[in-house]
Amino acid sequence: MPPSKLDSLYRRMLITRFFEKGWGKPENLHRVFQFRKIISCRETCFKLVPRDYPVEITKKKKYSDSTLIEGTFTTPLELHMPGVVPEAAQQAYFQLLLPNKWNNEQHKPICIHLAGTGDHFFWRRRNFIAKPLLKDANIGSIILENPFYGLRKPDDQIRSNLHNVSDIFVMGGCLILECLVLLHWCERNGFGPLGITGLSMGGHMASLAATNWPKPLVLVPCLSWSTASAVFTTGVMSQSINWDMLETQYYSDGQYRERLSKMVTIIDDAFTAGQKFIQNFNQSLHELKEDIDDTRKIQTLERDNDGNNNKTQSHLLDNADNSIFLSKTLENRQLDSNHISLPLKEILSENISGNSELALCNSDSTEGSALTKLMKFILPMSAQNKAKKIDITKTNWWEREALQFMRGMMDECTHLKNFSIPFDTSLIIAVCARDDAYVPRDGCSSLEDIWPGAEVRYLDAGHVSAYVLHQKLFRSCIIEAFDRAKKIYGKESFKDVSAAMK
């Protein structure tokens, strides 16, 4: 189904503008890329936060059916990477909503809720998700304030407009370690089973945080993604990025292009695109063969008509034009050929040269000519013996390289394939929107492939409409996942697993 038009309209209505100051300091990006290798491994990341990490309770208020507790602690990322986290974001704040009476004193479920894009402070998650969960299923909630949002927003930042691309990675690093702090705190206070959830960006941050907890953990990411690269390069969110600043900075400072670009890797790379291309190419060749067969029949009929030689020649030319219609529609692909990685060029050349359909080239001069024209527009430049150089301005090259750098950075720091697999993927229920224009899925790895055993449910909706209309479904998935955890492990089993990990 086509991407949601409502998503595109909603994004155009917003005046949010991301990354006005560019990529971020090169030295900070370098540190982030190196730290990613530590934080993405469960064994090394789990050791960064001690079990007795200090948490301060600052406020407690009791209501008729619930108790609201507020707390704070210093983000562990500032301790491990001094100077990377802005001063305003260094102190983490959270609210804890608990029932006044648990249905079962041996079963005290707590779910951490992470914020989506633009979700400042606590009220939205508290009223729309936490309170209904407490009322319907006796599930407590911890609502964590995102770095760069609400109480942790830098003074010079307007709304949710992050200044630098690096701020996304700093935000993620903070939340991963802060969730470890809160999970440890919950265990010390006798809560369990435990879980993490979030909508949109919050769902992805929840997925990253869940990878580093070495025990059973409920995870319900809603409207999230396997990598942020597609969101910021091909989704409607990319319309709100200051690409002019990013392109200029990328080329004016050689550190980005010459040093940092070599530290990132695109995960869902050109190989997947190449496989799709070959499939489409074979389909196109099959259709082209049918066109050529039709041309032969027409040619035979017209040759039998001695009085219409001129018409025959004209008709053959028309059909020859039709037979290469595909080359015209794929003309733009020629411009992209030099950006295909070398391994993909070899794959494409090997697959195309070994394809049985290409035997058509030798069957008839007319067919061969048509296919030759087609191949010139489709084959990578390295596969053409007498290819002409493509005339692309430096500006286009800058745009393309900056876009690839963005994709590489996002994959390097946010792709779930770069992180550990959660302890028990059977406790994962993800909810995705089929028509999501914010989260393109073409060419991206699916969660089922990355985390075997995880369950993914799809909504026939866009990103915005799903967020507005399906809150009840998100809550029901959280409740179901906690019920599943209770059925599989039970409170005593959670204690046993926790003790075994110490």
Side-chain angles (χ1 to χ4, degrees):
M1 298 179 69
S4 170
K5 293 182 179 179
L6 177 60
D7 289 352
S8 299
L9 177 62
Y10 179 77
R11 174 46 54 185
R12 286 197 296 267
M13 290 172 61
L14 298 178
I15 58 175
T16 303
R17 187 78 166 168
F18 293 104
F19 314 141
E20 291 282 6
K21 294 186 178 181
W23 301 100
K25 295 180 180 179
E27 57 271 22
N28 284 351
L29 283 172
H30 187 269
R31 295 172 65 189
V32 167
F33 294 159
Q34 289 183 320
F35 191 69
R36 197 280 302 168
K37 298 176 182 178
I38 299 174
I39 206 172
S40 61
C41 175
R42 181 159 50 234
E43 293 182 0
T44 54
C45 182
F46 187 71
K47 297 176 182 178
L48 298 178
V49 180
R51 292 181 176 85
D52 58 351
Y53 193 91
V55 175
E56 180 185 1
I57 300 301
T58 59
K59 187 177 180 180
K60 184 176 181 180
K61 190 172 182 178
K62 191 171 184 178
Y63 298 94
S64 60
D65 61 343
S66 63
T67 299
L68 185 64
I69 299 172
E70 296 185 7
T72 184
F73 58 90
T74 301
T75 181
L77 189 64
E78 174 60 22
L79 305 179
H80 295 288
M81 298 184 68
V84 170
V85 184
E87 185 176 354
Q90 292 175 8
Q91 199 68 13
Y93 301 92
F94 68 92
Q95 287 188 351
L96 171 64
L97 186 67
L98 296 174
N100 289 337
K101 184 179 180 180
W102 295 98
N103 294 339
N104 183 347
E105 288 298 323
Q106 297 299 314
H107 183 77
K108 300 179 180 179
I110 295 288
C111 187
I112 299 174
H113 301 265
L114 301 185
T117 304
D119 189 356
H120 295 253
F121 303 104
F122 309 105
W123 67 270
R124 192 180 305 174
R125 283 169 286 165
R126 184 177 65 243
N127 290 306
F128 294 157
I129 303 180
K131 286 185 176 180
L133 283 177
L134 185 141
K135 180 181 178 181
D136 298 339
N138 205 231
I139 295 176
S141 296
I142 292 179
I143 307 166
L144 178 61
E145 182 81 279
N146 258 27
F148 301 94
Y149 281 13
L151 298 170
R152 308 176 68 180
K153 184 174 74 66
D155 293 336
D156 60 343
Q157 178 183 306
I158 302 174
R159 296 180 298 277
S160 309
N161 304 1
L162 299 184
H163 289 157
N164 305 293
V165 177
S166 60
D167 293 343
I168 287 284
F169 310 136
V170 173
M171 179 189 291
C174 285
L175 291 173
I176 289 173
L177 298 182
E178 289 165 14
C179 283
L180 287 179
V181 172
L182 293 172
L183 291 170
H184 281 311
W185 185 84
C186 286
E187 279 195 338
R188 295 202 306 269
N189 287 275
F191 298 117
L194 306 176
I196 309 181
T197 188
L199 298 179
S200 190
M201 179 183 71
H204 184 69
M205 296 298 183
S207 298
L208 296 178
T211 63
N212 291 311
W213 187 246
K215 307 166 191 179
L217 185 69
V218 168
L219 172 62
V220 184
C222 302
L223 309 180
S224 66
W225 45 83
S226 60
T227 174
S229 63
V231 175
F232 287 99
T233 58
T234 60
V236 295
M237 186 74 78
S238 63
Q239 301 170 8
S240 301
I241 294 177
N242 189 343
W243 288 106
D244 291 338
M245 169 60 74
L246 296 178
E247 292 157 11
T248 301
Q249 196 176 77
Y250 180 78
Y251 272 89
S252 62
D253 191 335
Q255 293 190 69
Y256 297 104
R257 186 175 68 259
E258 297 170 6
R259 184 161 64 101
L260 294 176
S261 63
K262 298 177 182 178
M263 298 180 66
V264 300
T265 304
I266 295 176
I267 304 300
D268 296 316
D269 57 12
F271 180 73
T272 302
Q275 287 181 319
K276 284 190 174 182
F277 177 78
I278 290 298
Q279 292 172 359
N280 293 334
F281 180 71
N282 290 339
Q283 175 67 23
S284 300
L285 284 177
H286 179 71
E287 294 174 358
L288 185 60
K289 182 180 179 181
E290 292 180 350
D291 287 346
I292 292 173
D293 290 340
D294 292 340
T295 302
R296 281 177 172 175
K297 293 177 182 178
I298 295 172
Q299 188 177 17
T300 301
L301 291 174
E302 292 186 343
R303 281 176 180 171
D304 292 338
N305 188 352
D306 295 333
N308 295 321
N309 289 334
N310 293 334
K311 291 183 179 181
T312 300
Q313 294 175 1
S314 175
H315 198 72
L316 284 171
L317 290 174
D318 289 340
N319 280 283
D321 288 339
N322 290 333
S323 67
I324 59 170
F325 73 97
L326 185 60
S327 66
K328 295 180 180 179
T329 61
L330 296 176
E331 185 172 0
N332 290 334
R333 291 186 182 269
Q334 186 185 22
L335 299 179
D336 293 331
S337 59
N338 270 10
H339 299 282
I340 300 175
S341 60
L342 183 58
L344 177 61
K345 290 183 179 182
E346 295 172 353
I347 291 171
L348 290 176
S349 299
E350 180 180 349
N351 278 275
I352 293 173
S353 61
N355 195 299
S356 61
E357 297 282 1
L358 297 187
L360 287 170
C361 293
N362 300 322
S363 63
D364 187 87
S365 59
T366 303
E367 300 163 17
S369 176
L371 281 173
T372 300
K373 293 178 181 179
L374 175 65
M375 296 295 286
K376 285 182 179 180
F377 283 92
I378 296 178
L379 279 176
M381 294 300 293
S382 62
Q384 298 182 31
N385 295 328
K386 298 181 180 180
K388 296 181 180 179
K389 287 188 177 181
I390 301 175
D391 182 18
I392 299 180
T393 64
K394 289 184 178 180
T395 302
N396 285 334
W397 282 107
W398 291 5
E399 292 172 354
R400 293 170 186 273
E401 286 200 19
L403 188 69
Q404 286 297 90
F405 183 52
M406 171 72 84
R407 187 183 173 197
M409 288 176 64
M410 290 294 173
D411 271 358
E412 181 70 26
C413 296
T414 72
H415 203 297
L416 295 180
K417 280 187 176 180
N418 278 337
F419 290 76
S420 302
I421 297 176
F423 184 87
D424 185 354
T425 56
S426 70
L427 301 182
I428 300 173
I429 301 178
V431 183
C432 301
R434 295 186 190 277
D435 308 331
D436 200 325
Y438 279 81
V439 187
R441 305 195 183 280
D442 290 343
C444 294
S445 301
S446 65
L447 191 64
E448 301 101 312
D449 293 335
I450 301 173
W451 292 343
E455 180 181 354
V456 180
R457 300 176 181 178
Y458 291 92
L459 289 169
D460 289 326
H463 196 87
V464 175
S465 59
Y467 183 91
V468 174
L469 301 175
H470 295 282
Q471 294 279 339
K472 185 176 181 180
L473 174 64
F474 302 151
R475 296 194 299 268
S476 68
C477 289
I478 296 172
I479 295 172
E480 183 180 341
F482 271 97
D483 289 342
R484 187 180 297 176
K486 182 180 180 181
K487 182 178 180 181
I488 296 176
Y489 294 98
K491 178 64 178 178
E492 293 303 320
S493 295
F494 270 92
K495 284 183 177 179
D496 295 341
V497 172
S498 299
M501 294 302 300
K502 293 181 180 180

